[in-house]
């Protein structure tokens, strides 16, 4: 006989946009992410694997690359589009995901965006020379420009993207690499520390975009200060033996719900928290 699935632990998350109280509920995640290389090369295999997932299964999918190209048809002003054949296939896949009633999560780089930084250099992260603004953008080892996390133009751009993804039916957006680059070659001139700037930008994103049924989350390190509201912290590449220690380090009140591990292994030590594994590991 069919039996109802075991209930997942839940915790009330309160969000205040300054006008009225808005309460929602987050639950523990146990799902999958679509491997980027599979997403770009074999969409039929992706769809076949998704067909086997029960309704409500969390599924994370990448929607944009570090070059600035969107994988789907976007209406965000100034955005760069990826190759058209791939975009058409992604559009079809997103429609399919929406029809399956899965818990869909969109992941995109937070600040690494070559095309948008080049188009709007005033929002980009400047290089420094002799302690001053060098007058040109800093470029990382992958030859990618970064957006400045402290710039209001960057914030406005990310808010537009999050709003579009929500309107498309996604349940959650995850901003990947939510950090400053680890280098002394960038020009940083702010009364706040880099950590304070990131915390402030994250909070403004959650305040502007999080809704009762839409979560705004971040891939960062365990010391990242998670904003107040509907939000989660994602950790990528952590060792299973470090899971409990990292959960304690975050200081999160409900790490089993607010902390998500992205992992490639089946180690059950991750299962005390939210966890997403490659779609190819789905049974």
């Amino acid at each position: 006989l069919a039996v109802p699935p075991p209930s997942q632990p839940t915790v009330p998350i309160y969000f205040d946009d300054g006008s009225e109280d808005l309460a929602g509920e987050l639950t523990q995640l146990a799902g999958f992410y679509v491997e980027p290389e599979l997403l770009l090369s074999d969409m039929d295999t992706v769809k076949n694997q998704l067909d086997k997932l029960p309704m409500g299964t969390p599924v994370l999918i990448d929607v944009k690359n570090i070059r600035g190209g969107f994988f789907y048809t976007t209406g965000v002003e100034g955005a760069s589009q990826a190759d058209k054949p791939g975009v058409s296939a992604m559009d079809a896949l997103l429609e399919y995901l929406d029809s399956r009633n899965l818990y869909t999560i969109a992941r995109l780089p937070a600040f690494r965006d070559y095309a948008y930084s080049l188009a709007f250099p005033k929002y980009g992260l400047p290089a420094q020379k002799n302690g001053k603004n060098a007058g040109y953008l800093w470029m990382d080892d992958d030859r990618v420009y970064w957006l400045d996390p402290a710039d209001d133009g960057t914030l406005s751009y990310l808010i537009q993207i999050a709003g579009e993804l929500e309107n498309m039916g996604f349940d959650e957006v995850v901003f990947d690499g939510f950090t400053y680059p680890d280098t002394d070659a960038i020009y940083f001139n702010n009364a706040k520390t880099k950590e304070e700037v990131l915390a402030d930008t994250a909070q403004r994103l959650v305040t502007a975009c999080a809704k009762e049924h839409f979560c705004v989350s971040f891939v960062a390190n365990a010391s990242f200060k998670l904003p107040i509201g509907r939000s989660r912290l994602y950790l990528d590449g952590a060792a299973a033996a470090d899971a409990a220690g990292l959960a304690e380090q975050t200081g999160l009140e409900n790490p089993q719900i607010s902390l998500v591990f992205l992992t490639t292994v089946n180690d059950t030590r991750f299962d005390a928290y939210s966890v997403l594994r490659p779609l190819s590991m789905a049974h």
Side-chain angles (χ1 to χ4, degrees), residues 26-27 29 32-33 58-61 103-107 171-178 215-224 226 231-238 246 250 252 257-263 274-276:
L26 292 176
T27 60
L29 300 181
F32 305 95
Y33 62 86
V59 175
L60 180 147
I61 190 166
Y103 183 88
T104 51
I105 307 166
R107 179 174 62 179
D171 301 290
E172 186 168 343
V173 61
V174 179
F175 292 104
D176 195 10
F178 204 83
C215 185
V216 179
S217 302
F218 308 89
V219 180
N221 56 46
S223 62
F224 178 74
L226 196 65
S231 184
R232 304 185 209 263
L233 172 62
Y234 283 65
L235 298 182
D236 193 4
L246 289 170
T250 64
L252 294 170
I257 292 169
S258 300
L259 178 61
V260 184
F261 286 101
L262 297 169
T263 181
S274 292
V275 59
L276 300 179

Side-chain angles (χ1 to χ4, degrees), residues 37-103:
E37 60 276 8
L38 189 61
L39 184 66
L40 298 175
S41 64
D42 195 349
M43 197 70 79
D44 289 338
T45 296
V46 171
K47 188 174 180 298
N48 289 336
Q49 291 173 338
L50 291 172
D51 276 335
K52 303 171 185 177
L53 300 181
M55 184 177 64
T57 301
V59 175
L60 180 147
I61 190 166
D62 290 286
V63 296
K64 179 176 169 288
N65 60 28
I66 60 175
R67 306 299 299 178
F70 284 71
F71 298 152
Y72 64 91
T73 302
T74 178
V76 174
E77 184 178 358
S80 176
Q81 199 74 69
D83 295 337
K84 186 61 180 176
V87 169
S88 299
M90 175 65 90
D91 288 343
L93 179 64
L94 294 182
E95 287 185 14
Y96 166 78
L97 283 172
D98 190 46
S99 69
R100 283 290 319 280
N101 291 319
L102 301 169
Y103 183 88

